[in-house]
Amino acid sequence: MTLNASLKFAKSLIFPKSEKKSSARKSLFGALVCIGISIVPLVCVIAITDGMINGMTERLIGLSTSHLQAYIASSAPLVHNGDAFLTFAEEVESIQGVKAAYPEIRITGLAAGKNIRSGAEIRAVQNDIFQKNESFNKLFNVIEGSIDGFLAGTKDKKRPAVIGQKLAETLEIHPGDNFKIITTRNIGGRISPKLTTFTVSAIISSGYQELDALWVFIPLQAAYDSLALANASYTMMIESYDAFSPKLVGLQKEVKSCFGRFANIYRWDQLHASEFENFSSTRVMLVFIMTLIVLVASINISSAIVMLVMERRKEIAILKSIGATPSGITLSFLLAGLSCGIGGVILGLPVGLLCAVNSNQIVSMLEKAVNFIVLLYNSAKGIPASQVSAVHLMDPAYYLSEIPVSIPFYQLLFIIAGTLILSLLVSVIPAIKAGREKPLDILRKL
């Protein structure tokens, strides 16, 4: 039996000229649809999780620690005043491979609005960091106000502050409002609070609330002049030209030698090891579950091929009686199973990509629908709409406020290849049985 004959027989199995109401053909089409449907969530999960992880990683590196972070001893002469700190940052920038260095003081304290207090992470930074630092400029969105007041620093005798959106909502403050930062100091062996008033210049958000929910940015000099620094951490964010370069380890050693015994230097992957392990394990689990769905859908092909063999036993017997080989018959049924997998990929892949690209709009529509149902339900119970909390399908406290989508080309190729291989594998056993059918036994029973 020639390859051309096997192809023609496979075509007749999928597109018969008669027997349009064939149950096996319907099962084969149903298996195709099932594979297509199962591919849709797999493509969405891969595209969305990759985008989410890349977005979170970009923010963790760019806004929190940079590529390298130095933790400097408070006794070091280079942090005794703002000018010395800034001068040393310029020395660090002269190291080959260092793109920029940003001195910073971090203090855990309290932020107090008119009626509410909240814990806060105070970050004292350079006045121009929101313009100078590419990540700050790109990833922070100004929700209210303007950072121009922060750029002026303390020149106009005001103490400007840029505050995270979540903290601003908690304290119920807006640009132009005053709020207090409370830090602690040791006076005569007794812990005493120190209150410092700041004015909100702008309210910002990185889109990743878990990261910036408690951030308050103030000018570096304002921290030296106005805050109690007994419990402060002196750090420096050091930016290289490539956060993922293998040369980062060598750069880490060079920066360490520049600081000497006064600082410990850590790479971003050391500081965020637990977060990235959590991201990776979550992604692997989701992809594994979606892959199992595709596997289960592929098994339907095996059932459809078994039904197809039972329906076409007469044709198999006739073909074998005129010289068709077992391998040729087997190949025809394998091609039928493979065609089913190809059809599922053609159906599922574009739909999956379409859903992934429009995931933000889909989530928004679903949220509106859910909130509308919740509103109707509470209205029926007599609860006013003002007392009903909005439902968020993607809670901004744990996810990015906007889903970034990354289309992983090579992983899509892997999905296509894996689906086709699965389609072939599940077709092997019924296809071999079809090739081993004995024509005389079949014809006797007709």
Side-chain angles (χ1 to χ4, degrees):
M1 188 174 183
T2 64
L3 176 61
N4 188 41
S6 295
L7 289 172
K8 287 182 177 180
F9 184 44
K11 181 180 178 182
S12 70
L13 293 174
I14 303 168
F15 306 106
K17 295 181 179 179
S18 60
E19 300 180 26
K20 298 292 184 180
K21 296 181 180 180
S22 168
S23 298
R25 189 164 176 267
K26 289 180 180 178
S27 296
L28 204 61
F29 180 75
L32 182 153
V33 173
C34 287
I35 290 174
I37 292 173
S38 66
I39 288 175
V40 172
L42 179 58
V43 171
C44 288
V45 163
I46 290 176
I48 291 172
T49 53
D50 277 0
M52 277 282 189
I53 291 173
N54 291 338
M56 291 176 179
T57 302
E58 185 180 21
R59 285 160 176 78
L60 284 170
I61 297 173
L63 305 179
S64 181
T65 61
S66 198
H67 305 172
L68 298 173
Q69 186 163 41
Y71 287 86
I72 308 166
S74 58
S75 59
L78 60 97
V79 298
H80 284 174
N81 58 70
D83 291 337
F85 208 176
L86 290 169
T87 300
F88 189 77
E90 293 176 359
E91 293 181 21
V92 174
E93 289 177 347
S94 66
I95 299 173
Q96 186 176 3
V98 173
K99 184 178 180 181
Y102 306 100
E104 182 176 342
I105 301 175
R106 298 195 181 196
I107 311 164
T108 301
L110 286 175
K114 296 178 181 178
N115 304 308
I116 303 171
R117 292 182 181 181
S118 173
E121 184 178 356
I122 299 99
R123 299 180 62 180
V125 294
Q126 296 169 260
N127 300 349
D128 60 350
I129 194 168
F130 289 96
Q131 289 184 337
K132 183 180 177 182
N133 188 307
E134 293 178 4
S135 296
F136 275 57
N137 191 19
K138 172 187 173 183
L139 300 176
F140 276 128
N141 293 320
V142 178
I143 307 301
E144 293 183 57
S146 171
I147 61 171
D148 292 340
F150 192 84
L151 291 171
T154 56
K155 293 179 181 179
D156 56 0
K157 297 183 179 180
K158 288 184 179 181
R159 300 188 188 95
V162 173
I163 188 170
Q165 183 181 16
K166 176 62 178 177
L167 186 58
E169 292 173 356
T170 301
L171 301 179
E172 299 177 354
I173 55 178
H174 300 276
D177 292 344
N178 292 330
F179 71 103
K180 292 180 173 59
I181 289 178
I182 305 170
T183 51
T184 58
R185 54 187 173 179
N186 193 321
I187 301 177
R190 299 179 61 183
I191 302 297
S192 176
K194 182 174 183 180
L195 279 70
T196 310
T197 301
F198 286 83
T199 302
V200 179
S201 293
I203 295 172
I204 60 171
S205 173
S206 69
Y208 186 22
Q209 195 178 104
E210 188 175 358
L211 182 67
D212 65 14
L214 301 177
W215 282 354
V216 177
F217 293 94
I218 64 172
L220 185 65
Q221 193 58 46
Y224 281 103
D225 295 340
S226 308
L227 300 185
L229 301 179
N231 299 315
S233 297
Y234 298 88
T235 65
M236 186 177 294
M237 295 193 302
I238 301 165
E239 184 180 351
S240 68
Y241 290 92
D242 183 5
F244 301 93
S245 171
K247 296 180 181 179
L248 194 62
V249 176
L251 183 61
Q252 179 186 16
K253 294 178 180 178
E254 290 185 38
V255 173
K256 171 62 180 174
S257 64
C258 180
F259 278 91
R261 62 185 178 85
F262 292 112
N264 291 318
I265 315 298
Y266 298 96
R267 300 187 308 275
W268 64 269
D269 56 330
Q270 294 173 314
L271 294 169
H272 299 296
S274 59
E275 288 94 334
F276 293 116
E277 186 176 344
N278 183 39
F279 292 160
S280 299
S281 59
T282 301
R283 181 182 183 279
V284 168
M285 184 57 66
L286 286 171
V287 172
F288 176 70
I289 293 171
M290 294 301 108
T291 303
L292 286 180
I293 295 174
V294 176
L295 177 60
V296 172
S298 299
I299 294 174
N300 290 329
I301 296 178
S302 181
S303 301
I305 297 296
V306 169
M307 293 181 65
L308 199 60
V309 171
M310 293 175 66
E311 283 191 356
R312 299 304 180 100
R313 293 185 74 190
K314 180 181 177 180
E315 292 180 31
I316 294 170
I318 294 171
L319 287 172
K320 280 202 160 189
S321 65
I322 60 174
T325 60
S327 59
I329 298 295
T330 298
L331 179 60
S332 296
F333 282 94
L334 283 175
L335 290 173
L338 179 62
S339 300
C340 187
I342 293 172
V345 169
I346 293 173
L347 174 65
L349 195 63
V351 176
L353 289 172
L354 190 64
C355 290
V357 170
N358 295 284
S359 55
N360 287 293
Q361 292 85 345
I362 292 171
V363 170
S364 178
M365 289 174 60
L366 289 174
E367 278 188 354
K368 289 178 181 178
V370 170
N371 281 294
F372 180 71
I373 293 170
V374 170
L375 187 62
L376 288 179
Y377 176 75
N378 285 283
S379 298
K381 294 176 66 176
I383 300 174
S386 58
Q387 297 180 13
V388 179
S389 299
V391 177
H392 296 286
L393 297 181
M394 299 290 289
D395 192 336
Y398 306 104
Y399 303 99
L400 295 178
S401 57
E402 183 173 343
I403 302 172
V405 178
S406 174
I407 305 301
F409 178 74
Y410 292 108
Q411 293 183 36
L412 292 179
L413 288 180
F414 181 78
I415 290 173
I416 295 170
T419 303
L420 298 183
I421 290 170
L422 276 175
S423 302
L424 275 175
L425 289 177
V426 297
S427 304
V428 167
I429 294 176
I432 291 175
K433 287 183 177 180
R436 291 178 178 175
E437 290 282 0
K438 297 179 180 179
L440 290 176
D441 292 342
I442 297 171
L443 294 173
R444 283 196 195 104
K445 295 177 182 179
L446 294 177

